[in-house]
C-alpha cells in the first residue's frame, strides 16, 4: 500500500479533476490509497486558497505519519510564496516521504532538495489529466509512486553517474540566489519550458547559466507552445541552450524527455537508486 | 554642443524612426548633435544585427572621444548578450560619458554602474516616438542630455538623499547574481514593468527582493498593459510590491514616475547632483 496525499501549493483542482483521478487510481492502482486534501478545491484570487491555507495543508500532509508521498496537484504559480515557511515547519515525519510534482512545484522540490528532506521527484501531476496524453502521464506518476520503478524514469538516468535534478526553466531561474535554491555543483540539470517566447527563453538562460557554476552538465527538455512573435528569433531553443552553456563552460548533454505534456518522464532528484522505483 | 551617439544593443530602429528623431532634434535642440549609428538599422533575427555587430557599434560609440552621450535606441531584448563583453572593451574615453536608456538597456546601465563607468541614466529612448506621448518623452531625454536638467527628473529625486537606480523589473530580476549586477546596498531602487501578468510580477518580486538585501528602499513605477488572465490575481501591483518588501524588511517608499509610457521620467543613477542636469 502506498499512501499518497494530494495538496495544492499553487492553484486549485476542480472536483471533476479529483473525481477523474480517484476513478483512475481505483481502477488501475489498487495498491495506492489517495487522500485528496480539501484545500485542493479552495480558491482565493489566483491561488488554491490563501497563503496560510496552502501552507497549512502542505505542512499537514508532510507531517502526517500515515502518508508515504505528497503529490502536488497542479502548478500555475504560488508555491514560492509559501515554500520557505512551510518547509521550516516540516518535522521528522516529513523526512521519509516522496514529494512529487513539476512546473511551479519546483520551488518546493528545490527547497526540499536543498535541505535534504525526503525525496523530491519531478513527475506529472493530477492536473495533467486535462491534457492530451494526460492519463498516460498520471499513470506514469502513480506507477512510479507505487514502486513500479525505473521504467517510468527519464531514459538518460539509467546510465547517469551524476546526481540529477529537473526543473521548469522559469522556476529554476527564479530560484537562483533565493533561500530555496539547492547547491547543484556536480549535478546534471534538466530544464523544460512552456508558453514562453524564445527571447524570454534566451533571457532565462542568460540568468540561469550565470548561477550554474560547477554543474556536471545541462539537458534540455521540451520547449513547447512557444508563442509566435512579430519576427523570428533566429535560433531554436537548443541553439539557445548550447550558446549559453558554451559561454559558461557548462557541458551541454543533449535532450531530456521531460516537458509540459503527456510524455513528461519521472526524474527523482539526486543519485539514481538502481533497479528500484522510489 | 552635446554630441549624442545613438546605437542599438537590443533591437533595430527603422529609418522612419530615425528621420523623426533627427527632425525633432534639429527643430528643437540645435545644441544637440545626433549621430545615429548605421547599426541601428541592421536586422538579424530578433536583434539589431549579430551580437558582434551590436557589440562593435556600442564599443565604437563609447570609445569615441568626439561623443558626450551614448543613447540606446530601443529595448526589446538583446543587450544582456553583449553587455559584459562590450563593457570589457570600453577604454578611458568611455568613462566620461552619459549612457541613457531603459527597459532592456538596463543590462548595460547595470553593468556600467557596477563598474562605475560614466553616468548611467534611466531615460526615454528614440523608439518612444512610436508611442502616445512619445514626442514629449523624447524631448525630455534630449532636454536632459542637453543640460536642461532637473526639471525632467523623477520628482522624488529632488528630496532624495540616497543614491538611486531605476530598472525594468524583469531586467533587474535577470541581472541578479550575474556579473552585470551592481551592488545596490544603500540605494533607492525604482522598478517598472509592462506586459506581464500579475502572477509573473509577483514571481519577479519573489526573486528580486531576495537579492536586495541592504537597499534603502523600493519605489514602484507604473505596471502597465497587464494582460487579462483567466482569473483575477487577487492583489494589485502595489500590494504585491509591498508584500515582498515587507517579507525582506525593505522599506516600501511609494510610487515612482517611471514606466513604459510617454510620462517616463529621468533617473540618473547614483547620488543627485543638485541643480544640474548631467
Amino acid at each position: 500500500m502506498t499512501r499518497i496525499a494530494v495538496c495544492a501549493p499553487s492553484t486549485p483542482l476542480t472536483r471533476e479533476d479529483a473525481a477523474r483521478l480517484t476513478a483512475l487510481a481505483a481502477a488501475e492502482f489498487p495498491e495506492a490509497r489517495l487522500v485528496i486534501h480539501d484545500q485542493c478545491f479552495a480558491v482565493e484570487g489566483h491561488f488554491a486558497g490563501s497563503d496560510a491555507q496552502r501552507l497549512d495543508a502542505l505542512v499537514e500532509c508532510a507531517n502526517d505519519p500515515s502518508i508515504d508521498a505528497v503529490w502536488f496537484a497542479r502548478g500555475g504559480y504560488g508555491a514560492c510564496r509559501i515554500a520557505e515557511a512551510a518547509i521550516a515547519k516540516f518535522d521528522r515525519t516529513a523526512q521519509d516521504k516522496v514529494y512529487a510534482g513539476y512546473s511551479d512545484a519546483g520551488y518546493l522540490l528545490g527547497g526540499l532538495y536543498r535541505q535534504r528532506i525526503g525525496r523530491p521527484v519531478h513527475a506529472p501531476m493530477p492536473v495533467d489529466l486535462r491534457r492530451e496524453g494526460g492519463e498516460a502521464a498520471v499513470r506514469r506518476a502513480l506507477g512510479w509512486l507505487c514502486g513500479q520503478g525505473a521504467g517510468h524514469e527519464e531514459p538518460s538516468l539509467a546510465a547517469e553517474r551524476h546526481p540529477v535534478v529537473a526543473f521548469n526553466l522559469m522556476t529554476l531561474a527564479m530560484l537562483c540566489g533565493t533561500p530555496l535554491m539547492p547547491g547543484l555543483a556536480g549535478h546534471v540539470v534538466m530544464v523544460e519550458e512552456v508558453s514562453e517566447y524564445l527571447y524570454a527563453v534566451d533571457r532565462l538562460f542568460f540568468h540561469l547559466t550565470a548561477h550554474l557554476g560547477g554543474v556536471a552538465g545541462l539537458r534540455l527538455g521540451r520547449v513547447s507552445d512557444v508563442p509566435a512573435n512579430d519576427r523570428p528569433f533566429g535560433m531554436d531553443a537548443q541553439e539557445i541552450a548550447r550558446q549559453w552553456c558554451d559561454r559558461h563552460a557548462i557541458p551541454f548533454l543533449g535532450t531530456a524527455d521531460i516537458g509540459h505534456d503527456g510524455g513528461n518522464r519521472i526524474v527523482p532528484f539526486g543519485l539514481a537508486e538502481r533497479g528500484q522505483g522510489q
Side-chain angles (χ1 to χ4, degrees), chain A residues 182-227:
Chain A
L184 296 179
H187 284 65
V188 170
V189 177
M190 302 182 182
V191 289
E192 56 80 35
E193 192 50 276
V194 65
S195 301
E196 294 288 344
Y197 290 102
L198 287 177
Y199 72 79
V201 170
D202 196 68
R203 187 166 61 190
L204 289 168
F205 270 110
F206 155 74
H207 183 66
L208 175 61
T209 52
H211 289 265
L212 291 186
V215 300
L218 184 137
R219 285 186 178 272
L220 185 63
R222 286 176 288 283
V223 176
S224 57
D225 290 339
V226 174

Side-chain angles (χ1 to χ4, degrees), chain A residues 12-272:
Chain A
L13 280 187
T14 64
R15 299 269 173 195
E16 189 190 359
D17 295 328
R20 287 187 65 188
L21 177 68
T22 305
L24 185 149
E28 303 181 34
F29 296 90
E31 68 274 40
R33 189 167 69 83
L34 274 182
V35 183
I36 300 178
H37 198 292
D38 246 10
Q39 173 268 325
C40 291
F41 312 113
V43 177
E44 185 172 305
H46 186 86
F47 306 107
S50 67
D51 287 354
Q53 276 178 289
R54 303 197 318 283
L55 184 151
D56 288 347
L58 170 56
V59 172
E60 190 186 317
C61 295
N63 292 348
D64 182 341
S66 76
I67 291 297
D68 302 307
V70 179
W71 195 13
F72 304 122
R74 187 181 174 190
Y77 185 67
C80 71
R81 297 179 58 91
I82 62 164
E84 194 181 348
I87 292 171
K89 293 190 169 187
F90 282 20
D91 66 20
R92 186 65 196 82
T93 317
Q95 306 279 330
D96 305 318
K97 290 182 172 60
V98 166
Y99 297 88
Y102 73 111
S103 191
D104 195 67
Y107 295 105
L108 287 160
L109 303 182
L112 290 164
Y113 192 61
R114 174 184 173 124
Q115 303 220 19
R116 298 290 184 266
I117 296 173
R119 182 124 210 225
V121 179
H122 168 101
M125 298 185 288
V127 75
D128 284 309
L129 285 172
R130 296 183 192 174
R131 26 174 121 252
E132 197 184 323
E135 291 204 349
V138 167
R139 278 187 196 104
R140 190 178 309 122
L142 278 168
W144 192 92
L145 290 170
C146 290
Q148 293 171 12
H152 297 303
E153 293 181 2
E154 204 283 330
S156 70
L157 300 189
E160 185 55 64
R161 293 292 175 269
H162 295 96
V164 296
V165 292
F167 286 97
N168 172 257
L169 172 61
M170 174 70 81
T171 304
L172 185 55
M174 294 295 103
L175 278 170
C176 291
T178 74
L180 296 167
M181 179 71 170
L184 296 179
H187 284 65
V188 170
V189 177
M190 302 182 182
V191 289
E192 56 80 35
E193 192 50 276
V194 65
S195 301
E196 294 288 344
Y197 290 102
L198 287 177
Y199 72 79
V201 170
D202 196 68
R203 187 166 61 190
L204 289 168
F205 270 110
F206 155 74
H207 183 66
L208 175 61
T209 52
H211 289 265
L212 291 186
V215 300
L218 184 137
R219 285 186 178 272
L220 185 63
R222 286 176 288 283
V223 176
S224 57
D225 290 339
V226 174
N229 202 357
D230 53 2
R231 57 197 185 282
F233 184 69
M235 280 173 280
D236 66 22
Q238 193 170 135
E239 289 170 306
I240 291 169
R242 274 183 192 280
Q243 276 200 3
W244 286 105
C245 283
D246 285 351
R247 287 196 190 205
H248 293 275
I250 297 167
F252 181 78
L253 304 173
T255 59
D257 193 6
I258 59 170
H260 273 66
D261 52 46
N264 188 24
R265 299 286 282 270
I266 312 277
V267 183
F269 282 24
L271 281 166

